[in-house]
Amino acid sequence: MPRSLLLAACVALALPLSARTIDPPKPTEKWVALEAEEFRLISAASASETRRIARDLLRMRAAFGKVSDLKVHSAERTRVFIFPAHTRFAPYCEAVLRSKCDVFTGLFAAGSSGNFIVLSGDAKGGVDRIVYHELTHHLMANANVQDPLWYREGIAEYFSTFRTSGAEAHFGVVVHDHLRWLRAEASLGSLRKRLMPLRELFAITQSSPAYDERTRTGVLYAQSWALVHYLVHDDSRSEKLHRFLELLRGGKPVDRAFDEAFGMSFSALEQALRTYIRGDSFTYYARDVGELAIPTLPEPAAMPHDAVLHQLGSLLAQTRPENAALAERFFQAAVGANERNAGAHASLAQLYAATGRAAEAEAAYAKAVEIGSDDAEVYLLAGRSILHGDTGGFAKARPLFKRATELHPASAEAWTGLGATYLGQTVDLAAGIAALEKSLELDPQNEEAVFYLAQLWAADGRIAAARKLAQLLLARTSDKTLQGQITNVLSSLDRLESAQALTKARQAMQSADQALAWLSEAVDKANAGKITEALALIDAALPALPTERARNQALLLRDKLTGAAPRRR
């Protein structure tokens, strides 16, 4: 199931844009790669600039962890593409966003195999603010917390201004657009009218009408940012905020959680926020970069030309299905530059499978596996090409996903693929269930793994658990295709449950008939003087006798045969 694209641009700014032709980079161009935990930087900028951006991403992640007190390490890979100038960045930006990129210097997108960040290396402000905003959302999703929308947007805006300056890291820097908007309202004397009451702000979700109203967009983001800024920039208020969020995560209603955490009325906090907005206390955090512990980074390594072509093709293919033809050109160029590039063959296999070219997908995946690689993605893509292209079935895909898990044990997608190969099976279900549970341990937000796990639980006879899991997924997903698939699964569970109930009823009737027959035979044995055999038949019949009367008769007979005194019943 394709994952939806997370765009770094406002939807209102998106324009219809046909896929422009992008010429692959020339063999003489110098590119480097740098591995920085889950970030993999692929850069045409200088080595020093590449390392600086890697350090900033890791420091921003560490700063967010300190402020939010959440787990920030992700098992999901994020590839970061850095272009040396905006003229080089813009064509790729436009191909991904389907929008003009004149005002953008960065974007964050989710692809079919991890996340992508694309940056213009000559941006004056460093990493684009929108990238840090979306990266904050990614880090929060990775922590598997269901925080309210106002807080998610407010904290994302708060960290969007992260910057390093010399030996210091700055975060919580004023978002001037928001502050200007809020103070303009205040200067008109309408701040009280235009700010949302906190009850209303706290109740907004992505499905709320207020979230979609264009006239509300400004106040939602601006007020959420200001409220987070006000609460975070004071130790006492910050503790109350964390307590409030903990109570909400634990299921407490908003009113009770607010009263318990803040010990004040909504109107009191609203008034404090208005005073804060009008005042001059919008400071920011300045931390010594040494306080934001990050791993030691290696020197960037030169990338072969074919590897660069393959990675750029992946960026195009995995973020937009409309870029398939353009991505194929890059993959073919990679194979032309190095026929032994297993990753490019695997990517071609996935692309062919997705576009219905089963025979070509079969040949490409076979070539990728024949060449072999120590890159888990090669086997991951080859396995997916089989599952999506139906070029050999689950049995052929399973060893590929298994190899991917061996090479990259932290890949939730590899474990998901492995678990999926057990769908429709009647044996070894435990192995498939274990693989999907491992995937969810690594990525609790993996909807595909949840969907498959519900089906395997059902196949294993755990109907009630499967139903609950499917219903939870249906409630939380916004993917219309997935919603339809889940509905079909729930219908199948209804039929399966009915069939199981009928089977149990039939089995109970058969057991009762057998028990009555044993009881009748016990009487015959007793009359023939075969007491031991009669007692054995009574003991076998007792658990399955269908009525209380039959059980009492059996116990009376047993007491008589053993010489026991009759029991009071």
Side-chain angles (χ1 to χ4, degrees):
M1 296 180 291
R3 299 168 56 188
S4 58
L5 187 66
L6 299 175
L7 298 181
C10 176
V11 173
L13 296 178
L15 302 171
L17 191 70
S18 59
R20 67 153 67 183
T21 298
I22 303 176
D23 292 325
K26 295 179 174 57
T28 54
E29 292 185 16
K30 294 181 179 180
W31 287 72
V32 295
L34 176 60
E35 300 289 339
E37 297 199 336
E38 72 260 35
F39 297 103
R40 184 181 186 186
L41 286 79
I42 300 152
S43 174
S46 67
S48 60
E49 178 68 5
T50 302
R51 282 173 59 87
R52 184 190 67 78
I53 290 175
R55 284 194 296 265
D56 281 356
L57 291 170
L58 291 171
R59 285 168 177 158
M60 178 269 173
R61 186 188 68 176
F64 173 74
K66 282 183 175 293
V67 170
S68 67
D69 198 28
L70 294 174
K71 172 189 173 184
V72 293
H73 288 265
S74 173
E76 190 173 32
R77 173 182 289 180
T78 296
R79 277 176 276 192
V80 184
F81 291 84
I82 307 171
F83 294 90
H86 193 273
T87 54
R88 299 278 303 283
F89 158 84
Y92 292 89
C93 175
E94 292 175 3
V96 173
L97 290 185
R98 284 296 189 272
S99 171
K100 290 292 185 183
C101 288
D102 297 341
V103 297
F104 301 129
T105 60
L107 65 89
F108 184 106
S112 58
S113 181
N115 301 311
F116 294 87
I117 293 174
V118 187
L119 300 171
S120 174
D122 62 355
K124 292 182 180 179
V127 174
D128 193 290
R129 195 167 75 80
I130 294 173
V131 171
Y132 281 139
H133 177 105
E134 295 298 340
L135 181 56
T136 304
H137 283 316
H138 166 63
L139 294 172
M140 294 188 76
N142 181 67
N144 195 30
V145 290
Q146 301 298 319
D147 286 331
L149 180 66
W150 70 269
Y151 176 72
R152 299 201 309 269
E153 295 301 342
I155 198 72
E157 283 296 275
Y158 180 86
F159 274 99
S160 71
T161 56
F162 180 89
R163 293 289 181 269
T164 55
S165 177
E168 287 187 340
H170 300 163
F171 48 98
V173 177
V174 169
V175 179
H176 292 288
D177 288 344
H178 292 333
L179 191 57
R180 276 195 294 268
W181 190 93
L182 291 166
R183 286 180 171 171
E185 297 302 306
S187 68
L188 295 172
S190 58
L191 183 61
R192 181 179 296 275
K193 291 184 291 184
R194 291 299 301 275
L195 282 186
M196 288 185 188
L198 290 186
R199 289 180 186 275
E200 182 180 340
L201 183 68
F202 289 171
I204 289 181
T205 66
Q206 287 182 316
S207 60
S208 299
Y211 182 69
D212 293 327
E213 289 179 352
R214 297 191 182 198
T215 56
R216 285 286 197 174
T217 300
V219 67
L220 170 61
Y221 280 80
Q223 184 174 345
S224 296
W225 164 78
L227 181 57
V228 167
H229 203 286
Y230 170 70
L231 294 174
V232 165
H233 278 256
D234 176 271
D235 289 342
S236 175
R237 294 195 295 263
S238 180
E239 289 178 6
K240 293 175 181 178
L241 170 62
H242 284 299
R243 179 60 180 156
F244 180 48
L245 294 173
E246 286 173 1
L247 292 170
L248 292 177
R249 293 165 190 166
K252 276 211 172 181
V254 172
D255 285 14
R256 288 177 57 191
F258 184 86
D259 182 62
E260 185 174 331
F262 287 99
M264 64 170 65
S265 66
F266 284 109
S267 59
L269 182 56
E270 288 168 10
Q271 183 56 50
L273 179 61
R274 292 189 190 99
T275 302
Y276 188 68
I277 290 169
R278 294 189 181 101
D280 297 319
S281 57
F282 274 88
T283 57
Y284 60 87
Y285 274 116
R287 293 281 181 90
D288 189 298
V289 293
E291 296 180 37
L292 304 175
I294 64 172
T296 301
L297 296 178
E299 287 295 327
M303 289 185 72
H305 181 56
D306 59 291
V308 174
L309 294 169
H310 175 223
Q311 291 298 329
L312 289 171
S314 296
L315 166 66
L316 296 167
Q318 294 185 31
T319 53
R320 281 282 184 179
E322 303 94 320
N323 289 330
L326 182 57
E328 183 177 350
R329 183 181 171 205
F330 275 72
F331 295 147
Q332 292 289 9
V335 170
N338 177 12
E339 205 275 335
R340 302 284 300 170
N341 188 319
H345 286 290
S347 293
L348 280 169
Q350 183 189 32
L351 190 150
Y352 293 150
T355 53
R357 296 147 71 180
E360 291 173 272
E362 174 78 18
Y365 109 78
K367 186 67 175 177
V369 174
E370 174 196 333
I371 295 168
S373 173
D374 58 1
D375 185 350
E377 189 173 5
V378 170
Y379 300 94
L380 186 60
L381 293 177
R384 289 176 57 203
S385 74
I386 296 171
L387 291 185
H388 294 292
D390 194 25
T391 60
F394 292 153
K396 188 179 287 186
R398 188 173 300 157
L400 300 175
F401 285 118
K402 184 171 177 54
R403 180 59 176 153
T405 63
E406 291 168 352
L407 291 169
H408 189 12
S411 171
E413 190 175 4
W415 289 106
T416 298
L418 180 59
T421 65
Y422 290 88
L423 292 173
Q425 306 291 300
T426 57
V427 296
D428 296 331
L429 293 178
I433 290 170
L436 293 170
E437 290 175 344
K438 176 66 175 179
S439 175
L440 288 170
E441 179 186 326
L442 293 165
D443 180 11
Q445 300 298 312
N446 190 328
E447 294 183 348
E448 192 173 3
V450 174
F451 180 62
Y452 294 150
L453 183 59
Q455 295 176 72
L456 287 189
W457 277 358
D460 197 37
R462 297 151 68 175
I463 305 299
R467 180 187 301 282
K468 183 177 180 180
L469 195 63
Q471 288 172 337
L472 287 172
L473 179 57
L474 183 62
R476 87 183 193 193
T477 186
S478 58
D479 188 315
K480 299 298 183 183
T481 301
L482 180 56
Q483 289 173 353
Q485 292 171 329
I486 298 168
T487 301
N488 291 337
V489 168
L490 287 170
S491 297
S492 299
L493 290 176
D494 289 340
R495 293 191 294 271
L496 185 58
E497 199 167 41
S498 298
Q500 281 189 344
L502 182 59
T503 299
K504 286 181 179 179
R506 287 172 176 166
Q507 289 173 343
M509 291 175 63
Q510 291 171 354
S511 296
D513 290 343
Q514 180 65 64
L516 290 171
W518 283 338
L519 189 58
S520 177
E521 186 179 352
V523 173
D524 293 339
K525 294 286 186 183
N527 290 334
K530 299 177 179 179
I531 305 303
T532 302
E533 293 180 38
L535 289 172
L537 286 167
I538 293 171
D539 289 341
L542 273 170
L545 287 171
T547 65
E548 187 69 22
R549 181 181 177 186
R551 285 191 289 275
N552 285 338
Q553 289 176 337
L555 289 170
L556 285 171
L557 178 59
R558 194 182 198 291
D559 291 345
K560 185 176 180 180
L561 293 176
T562 59
R567 308 175 202 192
R568 186 179 297 276
R569 296 178 177 82

